[in-house]
Amino acid sequence: MASKNLNLSYVLNQYNSSDKLYGTVLQKIEEFKLLHPQRKLYLMTFGYTSQPLSPTVIQKLREGVTRLGDLKTYTSYEPVAGKSQLRELICCNHYQPLGVSLDPSEVFILDGAQSGLGNIQELFSVDDSVGIQNPTYPYISESHLSVGRHQIFTLDCDQDNGFLPEVPEQAIDLIYLCFPNNPTGAVATSEQLNLFVNYGMNHQSVIIFDAVYSQFVQTPDIPKSIYQLKNSKQCSIEINSFSKVANFAGLRLGWCVIPHELTVKNSFPGELNQMWNARSSIKFWGASNLAQIAGIAALSERGKQESKAIVEFYLKNVYLLKSALDKNGFTCFGGIDSPYIWVKAPDQLSSLDFFNRLLQQTGIAGMPGCLFGSCGEGYLRLSALGYREDIEEASLKLSNF
Ligand code: PLP
């Protein structure tokens, strides 16, 4: 007789599982729609992108589809680690301009960052401890709990520490960092990240760096990759995505970097890289060839210019929203190097009460900060990845809220 995975069942049944909390928010939005069918809803809840794929990407996708439909040009399975052209372009056109030198064999193509963030743990022992920012992009702790890894430490990020966690006092084996951060929009300076790299080197810990929003960084001298820091290849894995920078959220494409230099206490140099390749063969077998063709287009010189325009569009959105909030005296963070604004609830409202009040009075639905962890209580995240017209209308409503 089969029996269920008790770890996964435990995650789902926690009173505060992401699924349950999202369900609560979605239900409140549905109730609002039912009660006020004539009112406009401004959905700034999720990290959903709104803009279409860029012209260069579309053109290459069309050509790719035509080739797949022709007996003479059809292709079947691809290398599990991804197309070599795409891996090379990630090294040359993404990392090299940042002053980072990587070998294409260190880059693995993923179907988005999410699967990498959730699956990378398979490289490590289930007995390893994990440090996770609080608040954080949800699912990371749940992905660990679902395989029975329970030694999870939270790294608190609040207004006092500028939403940057202190370097832990105890030894933690795996540390997840995300900058620019979702949900707070905070960025980390080289000095601040360096403290973590030194920690990783001293404790033989691995930093798993989520750089999904790196292309949103505008502030000079803020690192866009952990590999811009000395020694970081020895102790870091980086995960990135085309979702936000090129509107691939539905198309699905990302990558992770596992440097050959990275070692843990019982591995030799290059072994973790080989293990991930083996894991990809066992469980993945590669990202869609069409999505990879699109990724190659997005990293071409023209594609990069178009992606820059996409990022600028979202940054203008976030600027409009943040200006309205600032004008109205809200305390808010982020919104400069990130498409997210982290708004402090006025009048000491709880996250959920602020969410409700804003929704009822303006039709704007944000994401209650408590969904990202206990340190998110008392905040609301607004996403500026939506349509310009909605952002302009919502900004007006926020100025008068
Ligand atoms: N990491 C962070 C911080 C995110 O905000 C998201 C998506 O919103 C992801 C990872 C997942 O990205 P992807 O669409 O590439 O799976």
Side-chain angles (χ1 to χ4, degrees):
M1 192 193 295
S3 48
K4 68 184 178 186
N5 172 350
L6 288 176
N7 295 315
L8 188 55
S9 158
Y10 164 81
V11 169
L12 284 181
N13 290 317
Q14 283 183 112
Y15 77 97
N16 60 349
S17 75
S18 300
D19 255 26
K20 280 209 179 86
L21 293 171
Y22 275 6
T24 310
V25 170
L26 284 173
Q27 194 186 333
K28 287 190 185 299
I29 293 171
E30 283 311 311
E31 282 166 11
F32 175 85
K33 287 204 281 199
L34 273 175
L35 277 172
H36 310 286
Q38 74 294 355
R39 284 184 62 190
K40 184 159 173 183
L41 175 72
Y42 300 93
L43 202 57
M44 300 185 180
T45 322
F46 306 105
Y48 286 14
T49 42
S50 59
Q51 300 304 295
L53 296 168
S54 74
T56 302
V57 169
I58 288 294
Q59 186 199 326
K60 292 293 173 195
L61 271 174
R62 287 203 173 106
E63 290 170 16
V65 168
T66 307
R67 282 205 302 277
L68 283 179
D70 186 331
L71 185 64
K72 290 193 212 74
T73 49
Y74 170 80
T75 51
S76 179
Y77 293 121
E78 305 267 347
V80 293
K83 282 180 182 287
S84 52
Q85 192 187 354
L86 180 55
R87 298 168 83 193
E88 275 160 26
L89 275 174
I90 289 172
C91 294
C92 298
N93 287 5
H94 179 81
Y95 284 109
Q96 234 172 53
L98 302 177
V100 173
S101 163
L102 286 172
D103 189 82
S105 61
E106 296 177 296
V107 177
F108 293 88
I109 307 304
L110 306 170
D111 58 349
Q114 177 91 351
S115 58
L117 286 166
N119 293 327
I120 206 76
Q121 52 166 308
E122 292 184 24
L123 290 178
F124 305 102
S125 158
V126 273
D127 298 327
D128 278 1
S129 54
V130 187
I132 298 178
Q133 280 169 279
N134 175 13
T136 188
Y137 180 62
Y139 302 121
I140 293 179
S141 62
E142 291 182 352
S143 73
H144 284 278
L145 291 171
S146 68
V147 297
R149 192 180 274 119
H150 285 274
Q151 267 203 84
I152 298 181
F153 298 91
T154 54
L155 310 176
D156 291 351
C157 304
D158 50 33
Q159 199 177 338
D160 292 339
N161 60 21
F163 302 101
L164 271 137
E166 310 296 337
V167 176
E169 279 170 14
Q170 70 276 53
I172 300 180
D173 302 311
L174 308 173
I175 296 192
Y176 283 79
L177 293 179
C178 171
F179 292 108
N181 185 259
N182 178 8
T184 65
V187 287
T189 63
S190 299
E191 291 72 31
Q192 289 160 333
L193 276 186
N194 213 17
L195 296 174
F196 279 91
V197 172
N198 288 340
Y199 175 92
M201 295 294 290
N202 291 338
H203 292 86
Q204 275 208 302
S205 314
V206 176
I207 296 164
I208 299 164
F209 192 72
D210 181 345
V212 162
Y213 296 96
S214 59
Q215 295 305 98
F216 286 79
V217 169
Q218 305 299 304
T219 306
D221 301 329
I222 294 291
K224 293 182 176 170
S225 163
I226 187 104
Y227 301 125
Q228 288 173 279
L229 298 160
K230 205 166 152 230
N231 295 331
S232 56
K233 282 190 199 164
Q234 294 171 49
C235 63
S236 317
I237 286 174
E238 182 161 293
I239 296 182
N240 210 322
S241 165
F242 290 79
S243 284
K244 307 296 156 91
V245 64
N247 292 321
F248 277 39
L251 191 56
R252 313 298 300 137
L253 196 70
W255 74 84
C256 68
V257 178
I258 307 183
H260 297 306
E261 284 175 50
L262 174 71
T263 50
V264 288
K265 70 173 176 225
N266 53 356
S267 77
F268 54 80
E271 189 178 1
L272 292 169
N273 179 290
Q274 289 168 19
M275 281 167 63
W276 184 255
N277 199 62
R279 192 251 169 225
S280 303
S281 305
I282 297 165
K283 291 195 170 178
F284 180 44
W285 212 250
S288 145
N289 50 10
L290 274 180
Q292 293 192 65
I293 287 169
I296 291 168
L299 283 172
S300 67
E301 282 314 317
R302 238 180 52 214
K304 273 180 73 175
Q305 284 310 314
E306 290 167 358
S307 291
K308 193 164 170 268
I310 290 169
V311 168
E312 279 165 6
F313 175 88
Y314 292 133
L315 285 173
K316 173 83 189 290
N317 276 358
V318 86
Y319 170 80
L320 292 173
L321 275 181
K322 191 168 179 326
S323 305
L325 287 160
D326 287 343
K327 203 168 125 202
N328 203 355
F330 280 97
T331 306
C332 49
F333 306 90
I336 293 169
D337 299 301
S338 146
Y340 300 120
I341 309 181
W342 190 235
V343 191
K344 194 162 185 171
D347 308 331
Q348 298 194 319
L349 290 174
S350 71
S351 291
L352 275 170
D353 286 344
F354 183 33
F355 162 84
N356 267 324
R357 195 194 276 187
L358 194 68
L359 179 61
Q360 298 309 324
Q361 293 190 15
T362 65
I364 297 172
M367 185 69 104
C370 56
L371 265 71
F372 299 97
S374 56
C375 291
E377 181 50 78
Y379 290 89
L380 185 86
R381 188 197 72 178
L382 290 180
S383 163
L385 293 164
Y387 304 102
R388 177 63 50 78
E389 190 188 319
D390 288 358
I391 295 283
E392 283 171 351
E393 287 173 17
S395 300
L396 206 62
K397 285 180 181 285
L398 286 171
S399 318
N400 302 318
F401 177 62

